[in-house]
Amino acid sequence: MRAVIQRVSRASVTIDGVRKAAIDGGLLVLIGIEDADGPEDIEWLSGKVVNLRIFNDEAGVMNLSVKEVGGDVLLVSQFTLHAATKKGNRPSYIRASKPDIAIPLYQQMITRLEADLGKHVGTGEFGRI
């Protein structure tokens, strides 16, 4: 499982011209799933996302988590995080899970993040851009 975690003042996902989800402040998380991933990876990554201390405290030091600041999380599936670009000019996505494996894991990640964060998590729509 690979993730890009970005602190944002706002972020949204729009699909076919319709806003699917939006957050005002918190974390945008792009997640790539591979066949070897399982429940223990979901548990670890969710804990990391929710508890990563990258928000400023009253002294201006990055010492608070998204949960502590009451921020939101926007989770977006992104298979391209597993792109292999070492050879040639066309990326290979052979390590990225196919939908039959990735979708249930993505849904489990949403459920776990919501439980760990204590609130709804905004999402994209698997397989849609």
Side-chain angles (χ1 to χ4, degrees), residues 39-58:
E40 63 282 349
D41 300 300
I42 291 167
E43 181 179 345
W44 181 87
L45 184 57
S46 179
K48 185 61 73 173
V49 168
V50 169
N51 295 302
L52 194 61
R53 298 183 327 171
I54 59 174
F55 291 89
N56 294 345
D57 63 15
E58 55 282 339

Side-chain angles (χ1 to χ4, degrees), residues 6 10 20-21 40 49 53 56 64-65 69-70 79 90 92 108-109 116 126 129:
Q6 183 175 6
R10 67 180 174 269
K20 169 86 167 97
E40 63 282 349
V49 168
R53 298 183 327 171
N56 294 345
L64 299 174
S65 69
V69 299
F79 76 95
R90 183 181 307 149
S92 170
Q108 289 172 32
M109 183 65 177
D116 289 348
F126 191 93
I129 55 172

Side-chain angles (χ1 to χ4, degrees), residues 6-88:
Q6 183 175 6
R7 187 173 83 169
V8 297
S9 57
R10 67 180 174 269
S12 64
V13 176
T14 302
I15 301 170
D16 294 331
V18 177
R19 181 177 274 183
K20 169 86 167 97
I23 62 172
D24 282 329
L27 299 175
L28 169 61
V29 181
L30 305 178
I31 183 173
I33 298 169
E34 62 182 319
D35 290 348
D37 293 330
E40 63 282 349
D41 300 300
I42 291 167
E43 181 179 345
W44 181 87
L45 184 57
S46 179
K48 185 61 73 173
V49 168
V50 169
N51 295 302
L52 194 61
R53 298 183 327 171
I54 59 174
F55 291 89
N56 294 345
D57 63 15
E58 55 282 339
V61 178
M62 286 197 299
N63 201 28
L64 299 174
S65 69
V66 68
K67 187 172 186 174
E68 292 170 316
V69 299
D72 295 315
V73 173
L74 179 57
L75 183 69
V76 179
S77 160
Q78 187 62 272
F79 76 95
T80 61
L81 293 177
H82 286 292
T85 58
K86 191 171 185 177
K87 294 182 180 181

